[in-house]
Amino acid sequence: MRWSVGIEAEGDRVFTREEIVELADAVAASSGIASGIGTNRYGARLVVVASSREDAIAAATELFKAAARTAGLPAAPIVTAEAISEAEEAQALEADAGEASGLR
């Protein structure tokens, strides 16, 4: 099953545009996007294949840490890790569409 996993690490300084662009380049292979320009956190949303939420978060965390090293970012504690499966996301979109159609 495919999972979209969001991870954030909190550092002790503000990260620059150039640093986050390097992170974005490093996570691109995992269909990833990066965030954190001008904040003391850097993060990414990655797509991984795993059999459970816990396995997805573990796999994405390893990819994230490797990408951060590749980008030259300092090691920082992970403060957020969340995962949603494609099935859960599809159900949420269907529910939102149903609610929106009921408003008319």
Side-chain angles (χ1 to χ4, degrees), residues 6-9 41 77-82:
I7 301 175
E8 278 189 324
R41 290 184 177 195
I78 292 176
V79 294
T80 303
E82 61 181 16

Side-chain angles (χ1 to χ4, degrees), residues 15 34 54 68 74-75 81 84-85 99 103:
F15 296 100
E54 294 78 19
I84 185 169
S85 71
E99 288 176 16
L103 294 175

